[in-house]
Amino acid sequence: MAASFFNNKARAAAAAASSSSKSKGGDNKEDSTRLQPWVEKYRPKTLDDVAAQDHTTKVLQRTLQASNLPHMLFYGPPGTGKTSTILALAKSLFGPALYRSRILELNASDERGIGIVREKVKNFARAQLSQPTGLDAAYRAQYPCPPFKIIILDEADSMTQDAQSALRRTMETYSRITRFCLVCNYVTRIIEPLASRCSKFRFKMLDNSAAGERISNIAEQEGLQLEDGVVDTLIRCGEGDLRRAITYMQSAARLVGATKPPAVKDADDDAEMTDAGSNSSIITVRSIEEIAGVLPEDILDALVEAMQPKSGGSVYEAVSGVITDLVADGWSATQLVGQLYRRVVFNEAIPDIQKNKIVMLFSEMDKRLVDGSDEHLSMLDLALRIAGVLRGD
Amino acid sequence: MALLVDKLRPRTLDALSYHPELSDRLRSLAQSGDFPHLLVYGPSGAGKKTRIIATLKELYGPGVEKIKIDARVFQTTSNRKLEFNIVSSVYHLEITPADVGQYDRVVVQELLKEVAQTQQVDLGAKQRFKVVVINEADHLTRDAQAALRRTMEKYSPNLRLILLANSTSNIIAPIRSRTLLVRVAAPTESDICSALHLAGKKEGWTESEVLNKRIAKESGRNLRRALLMFESIYAQNEKVTDKTLIPPPDWEALVALTADEILAERSPARLLQVRARLYDLLTHCIPPTTILKTLTFKLVARVDDALKPEVIKWSAFYEHRIKLGSKVIFHLEAFVAKFMRIYESYLMGMDF
């Protein structure tokens, strides 16, 4: 009997049925979805919806049809769809009725020390499968309901070493009725014995076209008007993180959607968008940049100009003036370091030997900022030392 | 008697005198019913907190001003008890998790979950969600920030967070990507002047425009400091004119004195004397970074242009050491010694 649940025809029918039932459910909850973050609202519902991770989804589809799953380890940079994939997979496996009893989702916001691994995880892993009652045949045709439970350990790289080692034996002992799925950013933080028990799936950085497609898709569904280049800006500011790009877009939409006056964003920024006044509901490139905290080009220009070697005089006054204003305006030092870095490294006019020295400075400064040094002093130091290198000492 | 800073603090978004665009944005966010998580950042004295309180009032009405202070006890995994103060109204909570140091994660996890799992008590409330304001979010440990991540997504129907920080550098990227970043720039000098003018008028003081300008310049675009200076000047002087002296804070005067001493003589004996002064400052709870920064800028202003980058370099270096190390006085003293050395060798024209 079990075999019939896993054949391909049933699965295809299930996928169709599930998508139709999803949309029906969506209508009822119109109000609650309106207030949802778009990241949640447009989270992929099925494996096929997951953007640009073809290899991974293909493998998962196949293991699905084979009615069996290995232990899994998903890793990759943030915002590439790791959590989405496992949630979509779990939903299409068990459906709404069984989801609660078959899935245990733990993440870094839950307590996850060794005690929890020993008790909560082990108890859940050990529990016998509850036989689903009252499920009709249609439900069973729709969802395969395989005879195991899934424990999702989200952000597993923030688990302690001890907690991870406590998992080792648990994973093996109960593998008959429980599968583990570890989700993390850095695979190196997962101890080797755990990693070797899982089949690993690497989630690669989204390429621009796939991310762009997704963003324009959402913009269309939400009925947004985007200025030319906004999608590119979103991708650039998101740095491969689709979630961040979508959040930026939603924030921008909130800002321009509700305001009556022209969507001029910044308070004391001189180089303001000149064409923002034409239509208030258009999302502009500048508004995205402001939300993302990107420094306007003219401030950078001023800083770079100030750092150029002067004949005779010292650069100190000019540089310190610019930096003081920067600090008072509240710009983030990390952002400045990032943008200045791009400016300097891609500047053809600076000889390579100087670039070498400058890159060293950037590395040191980044470390300092992460350690929590004072931003004002650090930025001033960085700017002055770059100026020193440019002068040639 | 309340200080001017508190007495004249704007209570509504309309009463805020500068950054009108920002106020408009916050108002439209508050009215849209679809309020995001916010990360508000900017230098101190720029009016972050004031703006947020005004926004909360816009969200919920005057009820947010009725606040009470609770002391709660949390228990860590190692059974340590933590005392923690919470400022709350019916609609919002205000916490400073950095108060409990490395245990902030426990507080963040337990408290936010508790808040998120209960619905709004007041049925007549304008919003369905509660707001939690987290002060000094940039001082949260990595652990606590990681704990915030999923909480923000999971409980978004019942809970909105407003994080206040001086800079976004120490906020981990996942948090930044889940919040709407709001930058509050410091007021410009003319903004400060008009604020001072308004304050003077309300108090019925005769004021001088030139003095206001000087205060604005002296305050370093920090409105709170400007108002405090303004008040202290009027408290100390019967009659103010354009030329009334702006008294620097005591600690700043002491730092200036120290800078003079360092420049006057570079010797181990002087170093010993300076150490006494530094200890004096530290025992009065002046933050070491502030001491170092003030001292640096006092010194830099007095040395030759060619030396300036060098001084800044070492100042930044020792500031970093202060952050990493545990005994502050070592690094302050090391900076002074370093400065004496480079200054001496510059004067003598040779390397030591």
Side-chain angles (χ1 to χ4, degrees):
Chain A
M1 185 173 137
S4 74
F5 297 144
F6 301 121
N7 65 29
N8 286 345
K9 212 191 274 173
R11 282 202 47 74
S18 91
S19 65
S20 70
S21 77
K22 283 271 156 49
S23 66
K24 226 187 288 164
D27 286 338
N28 296 339
K29 294 185 220 144
E30 184 68 48
D31 189 49
S32 67
T33 52
R34 193 179 62 87
L35 297 179
Q36 246 181 354
W38 293 353
V39 198
E40 293 293 327
K41 190 171 167 187
Y42 294 98
R43 207 183 258 290
K45 301 272 191 317
T46 63
L47 278 182
D48 299 321
D49 291 347
V50 176
Q53 306 291 355
D54 297 334
H55 178 71
T56 311
T57 50
K58 218 178 277 171
V59 174
L60 283 179
Q61 292 279 20
R62 215 165 286 157
T63 53
L64 250 183
Q65 285 163 13
S67 89
N68 205 356
L69 274 179
H71 293 304
M72 288 172 293
L73 172 59
F74 290 178
Y75 65 99
T80 48
K82 300 179 296 294
T83 312
S84 297
T85 306
I86 185 62
L87 289 179
L89 179 69
K91 271 198 192 112
S92 57
L93 270 178
F94 296 110
L98 279 180
Y99 189 83
R100 280 189 174 276
S101 62
R102 294 289 181 89
I103 304 288
L104 177 67
E105 194 191 340
L106 289 175
N107 56 62
S109 60
D110 304 298
E111 184 57 58
R112 259 191 336 195
I114 188 161
I116 290 296
V117 170
R118 284 207 183 120
E119 284 167 31
K120 205 167 170 188
V121 172
K122 208 167 173 185
N123 282 341
F124 186 83
R126 185 160 54 188
Q128 283 302 319
L129 292 175
S130 55
Q131 267 315 311
T133 51
L135 296 179
D136 50 10
Y139 188 88
R140 282 169 175 275
Q142 200 175 353
Y143 303 106
C145 303
F148 52 75
K149 294 161 292 181
I150 299 183
I151 297 180
I152 303 170
L153 295 173
D154 208 345
E155 293 149 38
D157 40 5
S158 62
M159 284 172 77
T160 59
Q161 292 261 334
D162 288 347
Q164 291 190 33
S165 359
L167 267 183
R168 293 159 58 167
R169 194 61 193 146
T170 315
M171 275 174 95
E172 283 177 349
T173 321
Y174 304 106
S175 63
R176 205 174 44 82
I177 47 171
T178 306
R179 299 287 182 277
F180 279 85
C181 179
L182 307 179
V183 179
C184 65
N185 290 134
Y186 305 100
V187 71
T188 42
R189 300 249 184 92
I190 304 291
I191 59 171
E192 186 53 32
L194 270 195
S196 70
R197 283 174 173 79
C198 301
S199 52
K200 291 181 203 156
F201 295 95
R202 187 170 73 87
F203 282 67
K204 53 181 185 293
M205 200 91 135
L206 292 184
D207 57 64
N208 288 354
S209 65
E213 208 174 290
R214 200 49 183 268
I215 290 171
S216 350
N217 194 352
I218 293 177
E220 211 171 277
Q221 289 191 33
E222 290 289 333
L224 301 178
Q225 286 177 293
L226 303 182
E227 196 188 49
D228 287 348
V230 164
V231 174
D232 291 335
T233 316
L234 279 171
I235 294 171
R236 186 159 44 80
C237 295
E239 293 166 26
D241 183 341
L242 189 56
R243 174 178 47 220
R244 194 168 356 156
I246 294 175
T247 314
Y248 286 157
M249 184 161 71
Q250 186 173 16
S251 310
R254 277 185 182 128
L255 292 178
V256 295
T259 40
K260 300 286 174 297
V264 180
K265 288 287 154 290
D266 199 350
D268 44 3
D269 180 9
D270 299 331
E272 202 39 89
M273 287 296 303
T274 46
D275 55 348
S278 56
N279 188 337
S280 61
S281 60
I282 290 183
I283 295 176
T284 61
V285 173
R286 183 61 214 140
S287 68
I288 299 282
E289 284 181 347
E290 171 64 28
I291 287 166
V294 175
L295 272 82
E297 288 296 313
D298 59 320
I299 295 189
L300 272 186
D301 286 338
L303 181 60
V304 171
E305 174 59 35
M307 287 190 307
Q308 295 306 320
K310 310 263 183 311
S311 54
S314 157
V315 296
Y316 178 80
E317 291 305 324
V319 170
S320 99
V322 176
I323 296 283
T324 310
D325 281 347
L326 254 168
V327 172
D329 281 340
W331 296 108
S332 143
T334 347
Q335 189 67 39
L336 174 86
V337 169
Q339 282 183 272
L340 196 61
Y341 175 78
R342 252 165 273 149
R343 268 288 172 102
V344 170
V345 169
F346 296 115
N347 186 352
E348 297 296 327
I350 302 176
D352 284 351
I353 187 88
Q354 290 188 355
K355 274 187 193 170
N356 280 346
K357 288 183 190 160
I358 292 175
V359 170
M360 292 276 286
L361 297 179
F362 274 112
S363 124
E364 195 182 328
M365 209 50 60
D366 186 60
K367 163 78 177 143
R368 275 190 197 171
L369 288 175
V370 168
D371 284 342
S373 289
D374 183 76
E375 301 205 339
H376 189 175
L377 273 181
S378 304
M379 285 200 270
L380 192 54
D381 183 29
L382 175 71
L384 286 174
R385 277 160 80 177
I386 292 178
V389 172
L390 289 177
R391 203 173 55 230
D393 26 81
Chain B
M1 195 193 94
L3 289 172
L4 274 189
V5 200
D6 298 318
K7 200 159 63 176
L8 301 180
R9 189 187 291 279
R11 309 267 177 220
T12 59
L13 283 176
D14 296 314
L16 292 167
S17 59
Y18 52 92
H19 300 339
E21 299 87 349
L22 188 58
S23 306
D24 283 345
R25 275 164 72 183
L26 288 173
R27 184 178 305 120
S28 71
L29 281 178
Q31 286 169 351
S32 71
D34 180 18
F35 195 71
H37 300 296
L38 293 184
L39 170 55
V40 183
Y41 66 104
S44 62
K48 301 182 288 293
K49 192 65 170 293
T50 311
R51 226 160 259 274
I52 289 310
I53 300 290
T55 311
L56 284 176
K57 195 170 174 189
E58 185 77 31
L59 268 175
Y60 294 109
V64 286
E65 283 177 345
K66 289 184 197 130
I67 53 171
K68 61 176 196 289
I69 300 177
D70 287 333
R72 286 275 306 270
V73 176
F74 290 91
Q75 197 157 37
T76 64
T77 41
S78 52
N79 286 332
R80 246 190 72 148
K81 292 235 161 58
L82 299 173
E83 277 261 331
F84 188 68
N85 285 328
I86 301 169
V87 179
S88 64
S89 76
V90 188
Y91 307 107
H92 84 289
L93 288 178
E94 202 183 306
I95 52 175
T96 313
D99 281 352
V100 284
Q102 52 167 332
Y103 295 109
D104 52 356
R105 186 179 59 101
V106 184
V107 172
V108 165
Q109 275 180 343
E110 297 209 358
L111 190 69
L112 289 191
K113 265 193 192 155
E114 185 188 303
V115 174
Q117 281 165 358
T118 53
Q119 292 256 336
Q120 184 72 264
V121 189
D122 182 1
L123 286 175
K126 281 193 194 163
Q127 314 290 344
R128 290 205 340 238
F129 53 81
K130 278 189 169 189
V131 172
V132 175
V133 180
I134 299 184
N135 288 320
E136 297 177 33
D138 44 353
H139 292 247
L140 285 175
T141 57
R142 297 276 141 137
D143 268 356
Q145 293 188 36
L148 276 182
R149 280 169 75 159
R150 192 65 191 145
T151 314
M152 289 168 96
E153 285 180 350
K154 215 165 163 183
Y155 300 114
S156 60
N158 283 341
L159 176 72
R160 292 291 186 284
L161 292 180
I162 298 180
L163 307 175
L164 296 178
N166 275 340
S167 98
T168 56
S169 296
N170 292 331
I171 310 272
I172 58 172
I175 300 269
R176 267 183 282 166
S177 80
R178 282 174 177 82
T179 49
L180 172 58
L181 272 70
V182 179
R183 183 174 59 88
V184 182
T188 58
E189 283 175 19
S190 60
D191 286 336
I192 292 185
C193 282
S194 53
L196 292 180
H197 177 68
L198 219 65
K201 219 161 73 181
K202 274 207 182 124
E203 292 296 303
W205 293 341
T206 51
E207 43 177 336
S208 104
E209 206 157 300
V210 183
L211 180 68
N212 283 357
K213 275 201 185 118
R214 273 172 50 216
I215 295 176
K217 200 160 186 58
E218 198 71 18
S219 71
R221 294 177 65 181
N222 182 334
L223 185 55
R224 179 173 6 174
R225 192 195 266 184
L227 276 171
L228 287 173
M229 283 179 178
F230 187 66
E231 191 169 12
S232 68
I233 288 175
Y234 280 86
Q236 285 172 9
N237 298 292
E238 280 288 306
K239 211 169 146 47
V240 288
T241 58
D242 289 357
K243 294 199 183 59
T244 309
L245 221 59
I246 302 175
D250 288 346
W251 65 269
E252 215 175 310
L254 189 60
V255 173
L257 193 67
T258 317
D260 289 341
E261 286 176 357
I262 295 173
L263 286 165
E265 189 191 319
R266 282 85 46 196
S267 67
R270 186 46 64 89
L271 191 57
L272 221 60
Q273 210 175 329
V274 169
R275 168 199 278 173
R277 294 224 184 278
L278 292 176
Y279 260 126
D280 201 14
L281 284 166
L282 286 174
T283 47
H284 284 87
C285 291
I286 309 292
T289 302
T290 316
I291 299 177
L292 185 67
K293 251 172 91 173
T294 322
L295 186 60
T296 307
F297 286 115
K298 293 254 187 274
L299 289 173
V300 160
R302 307 264 298 273
V303 300
D304 195 85
D305 275 353
L307 263 186
K308 282 173 178 170
E310 186 82 359
V311 177
I312 295 287
K313 176 179 153 186
W314 289 110
S315 167
F317 178 83
Y318 286 110
E319 204 276 329
H320 182 213
R321 287 276 175 96
I322 287 177
K323 282 280 148 59
L324 292 184
S326 59
K327 195 117 170 84
V328 168
I329 188 74
F330 291 160
H331 308 292
L332 286 178
E333 230 177 6
F335 170 70
V336 174
K338 189 83 197 173
F339 176 80
M340 284 181 173
R341 201 184 99 163
I342 51 179
Y343 191 56
E344 186 75 23
S345 61
Y346 177 76
L347 288 184
M348 309 292 282
M350 56 174 145
D351 234 1
F352 285 107

